[in-house]
Amino acid sequence: MSWHPQYRSSKFRHVYGKAASKEKCYDCVPITRNVHDNHFCAVNPHFIAVVTECAGGGAFLVIPIQQTGKLDPHYPKICGHKGSVLDIKWNPFNDFVIASCSEDATVKIWDIPKHLLTRNITSPKKELVGHVRRVGIIEWHPTASNILFSSGYDYKIMIWNLDTREPVISNPVKILDAHKDVVLSMSFNTDGSLLATACRDRKIRLIDPRAGTVLQVASCKSHKANKVLFLGNVKKLFSTGTSRWNNRQIALWDQSDLSVPLLEEDLDDSSGLLFPFYDSDTHMLYVVGKGDGNIRYYEISLEKPYLNYLTEYRSPLPQKGIGTMPKRGLEVSACEIFRFYKLIPAKSLIEPISMIVPRRSESYQEDIYPLTTGAQPALTAQEWLNGVNKGPVLVSLKPGSGAVNSLPEFPGPDLLMEAADLNQHQGCGTRRLLKDLEKPSEIEDYKKQRKVEEKLPGDEQICLSNHFDIFECPPPKTENELLQMYYRQQDEIRRLRDLVIQRNVQIKQLELEIKNLQADAGRY
C-alpha cells in the first residue's frame, strides 16, 4: 500500500496577491459599461489600453504604464470606430501597434506614437473589412508576425495577413466557416498550429487554421463552455462555463481526446463569467471571476489530479474586465510572477495586482524565471501560411541579459545623482552621496560617471523620467501636456525617495552588524 503525502511539495504553494497602493493605480478612468464578455483591457511593458465609455461611436485609451494617478478628463483617445469597441489586443512583437474590433463590423490596426498622445487619433494604420456583422474577438498569432485572427457575429473566423501596403484590406487569406453560432473564445497552442474555440452551441472545437478543418469536437451536456484556453506545454485544454444547474464550472480536457473531460469541478453559483489565464513558465493557472473580486489559482501537473488548487485572492471590489502584463514586463527583483490590471468601473479605477512568490533573497531567482517568450517573432507571416511551424523565441528575464525588450533599467549611480539633485543644496547632496557610497569601487564608479557628465554639453545630457527618453518626449506646449509631465515627475520623485529610504535602511543595518562584530571581537 503506497502512502500519499497530505500536501504537495511546490515552490508556488505560498504565492499571494498584492494590490498596488493608491498612488500606483490609474484613477478617474471612464471604463466602458458595455456588457460584452471580454477583457476590455490590454497591457504591455510600455502602455495600458482600456476601452472607455463615450458617446457617438467607440473609443479606447492608451496610457503610458508609468503614468499612474489621476487621469486628465481631456486625455486623448483612439476614436476611429463608428460603433462600440468590443476587444483590443497589443501586437506581441511590437509594443507600439494595437488592434481593435467593433460593432461596426471592422477591425483596425493603430500605430501608437512613442511620445505622449497630444490629440485624438482617428486614422488607423490599416482597416480590415470582411465581416458583415459586429466583430467580437481578435487574437494575434503567437509566433508569426502580422497574422491576426478575427471572429464576428456572422459565425466566421477570418485570418488576415497584415504584411501588405494597402491601408484597407478586404480579402482575408482564409475564412473558417466551421461554426453554427457565435464564437465566444479563441486560443492557440504554443506554436500556433492549432486553434481551440468555444462556441455558443456548447461545443469546443479543435481546428487546423491553415487547412480550415475541424480535428475534434467536444460536446458535454453537463458543461456549457464559455471560454477555452490551450495549456500548450502540457497538451491539455482548460475551459470555464456553467453546469446544467447554472453553477460556475471549470473543466480540463486531454488535447488528443476531447470526448470526455478529464475532470469537472463546480466553483460557486455566481452568474459572472470566468476568465482563465495560463502561465506556461510556472504551470500556474489563474481563474478570474467577472462581477466579483476573486482570483483563484491552481498548479497544473501531468499526473492526476492534474489540477491542484493553491489558494485564492479576494477583494470586495468587483472587476468588470482584466488585463495581464507579459512576463518581460514583470518586476523580477520583487519575485513577481504574474500581474493583473483590474478594471473597477464603480470607482473609475484600474488596480494592478501582483502575484508574488515570497522569497527572502533579493538576488535573481532562476527557478521561478525560466526562459520565457520574448518580443521577437519566430516566423514571417508568409512562412506560417506556407505551413512552417516554430515555437516562440525564448529569452531570459535575468537583469543584464540584454535579450528582453522591456522597460529600460536605471543604473544605481544615475539614480543616486538624480536623488541628490532633489536636494536644495547641490554641494550638500553630493557630500551625502559620497558618504552613502561605502565601498571604494562604488565611489570610483560615481566619480567616473560625474566626469563623463561634465564632458557632455548641456543639450546632450540624457534625462530619463518614468522610463521615457527626453528626446522621444517633446517639451509640453499645452496645459494638458504640462499636467501630464507634472504627474510623471511627481511619480519619479516619489520613486527616488523610496530608493533613498531603502538605501538608508540598508546602511543602518550594516552599521549595526559592524557594531555587533566589534563588540564580539572585544569580548575575546
Side-chain angles (χ1 to χ4, degrees), residues 27 35 48 81 95 141 202 225 255 275 354 392 401 435:
D27 202 359
V35 295
I48 175 170
H81 284 287
D95 288 342
H141 193 275
R202 296 172 177 257
Q255 179 181 323
F275 296 120
S354 299
S401 61
K435 184 179 178 181

Side-chain angles (χ1 to χ4, degrees), residues 42-57:
V43 188
N44 69 26
H46 289 91
F47 299 104
I48 175 170
V50 58
V51 180
T52 183
E53 190 72 13
C54 69

Side-chain angles (χ1 to χ4, degrees), residues 34-95:
N34 197 309
V35 295
H36 193 71
D37 289 330
N38 261 344
H39 299 157
F40 294 124
C41 182
V43 188
N44 69 26
H46 289 91
F47 299 104
I48 175 170
V50 58
V51 180
T52 183
E53 190 72 13
C54 69
F60 60 96
L61 297 169
V62 174
I63 308 168
I65 204 74
Q66 299 294 331
Q67 189 176 327
T68 54
K70 289 187 177 181
L71 187 72
D72 182 8
H74 302 292
Y75 190 83
K77 299 181 177 66
I78 315 295
C79 49
H81 284 287
K82 297 179 181 178
S84 299
V85 176
L86 299 181
D87 197 11
I88 49 176
K89 293 281 171 38
W90 287 104
N91 187 333
F93 310 119
N94 189 340
D95 288 342

Side-chain angles (χ1 to χ4, degrees), residues 110-312:
W110 308 87
D111 268 340
I112 305 301
K114 294 185 179 181
H115 56 79
L116 288 176
L117 296 180
T118 57
R119 56 183 176 82
N120 291 346
I121 297 179
T122 56
S123 300
K125 178 184 179 182
K126 291 184 185 298
E127 184 173 354
L128 315 181
V129 181
H131 291 279
V132 295
R133 297 185 65 186
R134 59 180 173 172
V135 185
I137 309 172
I138 49 176
E139 290 288 346
W140 293 91
H141 193 275
T143 59
S145 63
N146 290 326
I147 291 289
L148 183 70
F149 284 60
S150 64
S151 173
Y153 278 62
D154 52 6
Y155 310 156
K156 296 178 181 178
I157 296 176
M158 296 187 179
I159 306 175
W160 305 88
N161 181 5
L162 306 182
D163 274 345
T164 61
R165 295 183 179 180
E166 301 172 2
V168 178
I169 305 175
S170 55
N171 295 317
V173 293
K174 188 77 178 178
I175 299 178
L176 307 180
D177 196 6
H179 300 85
K180 304 301 180 184
D181 210 328
V182 178
V183 176
L184 302 176
S185 176
M186 294 190 295
S187 178
F188 292 97
N189 65 341
T190 305
D191 61 6
S193 61
L194 296 175
L195 176 70
T197 64
C199 184
R200 195 177 281 173
D201 62 4
R202 296 172 177 257
K203 295 180 180 179
I204 296 174
R205 292 173 173 84
L206 193 62
I207 302 172
D208 182 343
R210 285 170 294 203
T213 56
V214 178
L215 304 178
Q216 291 189 67
V217 179
S219 180
C220 186
K221 294 182 180 180
S222 62
H223 179 72
K224 181 182 178 182
N226 291 322
K227 297 291 180 183
V228 66
L229 186 66
F230 247 112
L231 310 183
N233 54 3
V234 292
K235 306 293 183 183
K236 290 179 176 57
L237 289 171
F238 179 81
S239 63
T240 65
T242 55
S243 67
R244 63 179 65 182
W245 295 282
N246 283 331
N247 292 328
R248 293 202 294 190
Q249 190 180 62
I250 59 176
L252 193 68
W253 309 78
D254 187 348
Q255 179 181 323
S256 59
D257 182 12
L258 299 182
S259 58
V260 180
L262 295 174
L263 64 87
E264 288 181 357
E265 183 180 334
D266 288 3
L267 295 186
D268 52 40
D269 56 359
S270 298
S271 58
L273 202 71
L274 294 171
F275 296 120
F277 299 93
Y278 180 60
D279 182 1
S280 58
D281 300 336
T282 60
H283 299 281
M284 284 187 65
L285 178 72
Y286 302 87
V287 180
V288 181
K290 180 182 178 182
D292 58 55
N294 303 336
I295 300 176
R296 300 173 175 88
Y297 38 105
Y298 306 79
E299 193 170 7
I300 302 294
S301 60
L302 296 175
E303 301 173 352
K304 288 185 178 182
Y306 305 115
L307 199 64
N308 303 285
Y309 176 76
L310 293 175
T311 186
E312 182 177 357

Side-chain angles (χ1 to χ4, degrees), residues 305-334:
Y306 305 115
L307 199 64
N308 303 285
Y309 176 76
L310 293 175
T311 186
E312 182 177 357
Y313 170 82
R314 290 179 176 269
S315 169
L317 299 173
Q319 55 245 359
K320 178 181 181 63
I322 202 89
T324 59
M325 174 67 78
K327 294 298 285 287
R328 55 195 174 89
L330 298 180
E331 190 177 349
V332 295
S333 60

